Amino acid sequence: MARSLISNSHEIDREFSTGAAEARAELAGDLGRRQARISPKYFYNALGSKLFEAICQLDEYYLTRTETGIFAQRGAEIAAAAGVGAVLVDLGAGNCAKAASLFGVLRPQQYVPVDISVEFLHDAVEKLRLEHPALPIQPVGLDFADSFVLPAGVARGHRLYFYPGSSIGNFTPLQATQFLRRLRAAGADGAVLIGVDLVKDAAVLEAAYDDALGVTAAFNLNALRHINALIGSDFSLRAWRHRAVFNAEQSRIEMYLEAAYDVTVRWPGGARRFAAGERIHTENSYKYTERAFLELLETSGFGDATCWTDPARKFLVCHARAV
Ligand code: AVI
């Protein structure tokens, strides 16, 4: 279900209470599965969003700085491909920093940051309004993985959907195709500007998702804190260990929380016993070759693609038009 839109603090309160009821039903089902799972969307409460920002600064997590480097080096070429003056719809905007780094070259007519974490988006937007007083900004609180309806306040001009950071990799390839097709349907003459992580050595990938400082471990464990607050479960964070493994066959990093010892977790209306070593799946992060990603774009109805990469070919940024 789509979350409601941000308009004032009353709306936000209503949104959280609706979200809690949905979360209770979803999590009871997901924790009860043979392979228990927690959706990665539960990473992103206020603390989780801050932990993710910290991840982006880690030595091991090359994704953000590599993509930022591509934007900085190739900004003019990106603007030549994408054109100027579009409605820039930033999907999963977070702190809005990546889109803001392209305002100078893309000169959007309106900026529409969309994020699931409405609290976090509010702070970022307030800051941005001070820095760019002439730019119309229309923030939207939406879980666009479930639904994709933008409010009437979003301008009607040419839409450029900006989806950086390899967030597309957190979908399965099938989900990614469905997501891109929905985007295409939502803005008939639209285009996408997407960043995606490229396949590389397993050791490099695993270090990026299991850093020496333990920030990614905290990010993973924080989902349990978030869920405890949301549904009244009694996950003890000390009973769980962070795990990140590269599954070469599926070309994805898989993240889990692994029970350190036998433990029973209870929540209103349910409970589950986990044996020592048993895992809860929390995230997949798919890694693409350039060819596989171009195929994905094409299958999803986006063509005429131009892509840019860094000298070490770690990361890829592609612009493609709805065809
Ligand atoms: C948001 N997403 C692209 C990140 C990724 O790399 O898959 C989330 C993340 N999970 C652990 N570290 C970062």
Side-chain angles (χ1 to χ4, degrees), residues 2-6 11-12 14-16 18 118 140-143:
R3 288 175 157 224
S4 53
L5 305 173
I6 310 172
E11 275 296 304
I12 292 170
R14 194 158 60 81
E15 181 198 44
F16 275 125
T18 315
V118 288
V140 175
L142 181 75
D143 181 0

Side-chain angles (χ1 to χ4, degrees), residues 137-150:
I137 302 178
Q138 166 79 56
V140 175
L142 181 75
D143 181 0
F144 54 83
D146 293 338
S147 168
F148 200 84
V149 182
L150 291 175

Side-chain angles (χ1 to χ4, degrees), residues 192-208:
V192 287
L193 182 62
I194 304 192
V196 69
D197 197 15
L198 294 171
V199 189
K200 57 186 66 64
D201 192 66
V204 175
L205 287 169
E206 289 183 349

